[in-house]
């Protein structure tokens, strides 16, 4: 873990690692919005960060400048790992959240998997959202699959048979599986004709599926409050475009 800074070592019980990244894996910002709501709702605390220097092309994923207490501060696109306790469950959570890296994906994923192995992670759940041929008038469908047949049967999931382009979630899941860590992938399908973000319906659908797989109580009221404005924006787009 040459590029990971461990702020503190959390004491966790059989943790499950959840991961979502901005970018190609995150249509409508649904996946990252879902994990932000999970982490914030459970009071997750940052315990490690990944140095962005080796993994990002800063011309493609640019840092931002912000004013903090009257001084200019550059914020780099680092990745945070946060830990949350689940008192009512037999396990705790690690939430990995950041930008999809531009460079050295295998090394990047290895940083996360090795840290997870050191913390005795029992399962990795990757969370994504994709654009698909689905209508906005129906509930968001979440496709959940496992890389292992036994795990799929135990959790009531399908076995992943996807072939085609992949992102950092696919690389992370494959590397975790090669290290003997069970992996599950969740994907929310969003309408390809709507370029609106964040999509609160997608985020809430992903959280609902996470609740089904992992017993946890997460307040989604803040996301629910966004749905009225989102639906109004969708209605305006549809009204303006006869093809929609």
């Amino acid at each position: 873990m040459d590029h990971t800074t461990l702020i503190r070592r959390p004491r966790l019980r059989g943790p499950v690692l959840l991961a979502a990244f901005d970018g190609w894996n995150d249509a409508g910002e649904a996946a990252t919005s879902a994990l932000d709501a999970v982490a914030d709702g459970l009071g997750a605390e940052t315990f490690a960060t990944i140095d962005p220097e080796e993994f990002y092309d800063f011309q493609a994923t640019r840092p931002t400048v912000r004013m903090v207490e009257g001084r200019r501060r550059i914020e780099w696109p680092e990745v945070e790992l946060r830990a949350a306790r689940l008192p009512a469950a037999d396990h705790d959570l690690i939430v990995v959240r950041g930008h999809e890296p531009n460079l050295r994906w295998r090394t990047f994923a290895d940083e996360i998997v090795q840290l997870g192995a050191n913390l005795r992670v029992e399962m990795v759940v990757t969370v994504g959202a994709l654009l698909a041929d689905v209508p906005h008038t129906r509930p968001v469908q979440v496709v959940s699959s496992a890389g292992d047949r036994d795990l799929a049967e135990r959790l009531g999931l399908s076995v992943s048979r996807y072939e085609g382009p992949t992102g950092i979630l696919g690389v992370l899941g494959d590397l975790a599986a090669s290290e003997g860590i069970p992996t599950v992938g969740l994907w929310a399908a969003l309408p390809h004709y709507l370029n609106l973000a964040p999509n609160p319906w997608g985020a809430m659908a992903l959280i609902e599926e996470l609740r089904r797989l992992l017993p946890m109580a997460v307040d989604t009221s803040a996301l629910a409050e966004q749905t009225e404005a989102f639906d109004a924006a969708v209605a305006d787009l549809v009204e303006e475009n006869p093809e929609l």
Side-chain angles (χ1 to χ4, degrees), residues 30 34 199-209 211 220-221 223-224 227:
N199 186 321
W201 292 114
M204 288 193 295
L206 285 166
I207 292 174
E208 192 60 33
E209 180 65 2
R211 283 173 173 160
T220 58
S221 59
L223 289 170
T227 58

Side-chain angles (χ1 to χ4, degrees), residues 139-160:
V140 175
Q141 180 184 8
V142 175
V143 177
S144 303
S145 62
D148 175 80
R149 182 173 299 276
D150 291 338
L151 179 64
E153 291 180 355
R154 178 161 60 87
L155 297 178
L157 308 177
S158 61
V159 177
S160 177

Side-chain angles (χ1 to χ4, degrees), residues 47-185:
F47 70 90
T49 59
I50 296 178
D51 184 356
E53 192 70 21
E54 299 295 325
F55 304 111
Y56 293 92
D57 175 355
F58 294 132
Q59 289 183 322
T61 306
R62 291 186 178 272
T64 57
V65 177
R66 300 189 187 279
M67 296 298 294
V68 179
E69 297 180 353
R71 298 184 61 180
R72 291 165 57 88
R73 175 181 174 183
I74 294 181
E75 295 183 353
W76 301 91
E78 65 182 11
V79 174
E80 288 189 336
L81 291 88
R82 302 169 69 184
R85 299 277 294 180
L86 294 178
D90 296 329
H91 58 80
D92 296 316
L93 290 183
I94 295 173
V95 179
V96 181
R97 169 75 166 82
H99 296 272
E100 181 176 54
N102 308 108
L103 310 167
R104 303 179 67 191
W105 281 13
R106 286 177 294 184
T107 302
F108 179 88
D110 186 63
E111 292 281 314
I112 296 173
V113 170
Q114 292 305 317
L115 180 57
N118 289 342
L119 294 173
R120 301 184 184 279
V121 163
E122 295 187 352
M123 185 167 65
V124 169
V125 180
T126 58
V127 182
L130 53 84
L131 298 176
D133 292 328
V134 296
H136 68 278
T137 52
R138 295 184 181 176
V140 175
Q141 180 184 8
V142 175
V143 177
S144 303
S145 62
D148 175 80
R149 182 173 299 276
D150 291 338
L151 179 64
E153 291 180 355
R154 178 161 60 87
L155 297 178
L157 308 177
S158 61
V159 177
S160 177
R161 300 190 182 281
Y162 172 78
E163 294 181 308
T166 191
I168 191 60
L169 293 182
V171 175
L172 177 60
D174 182 73
L175 185 57
S178 70
E179 293 292 324
I181 303 174
T183 62
V184 171

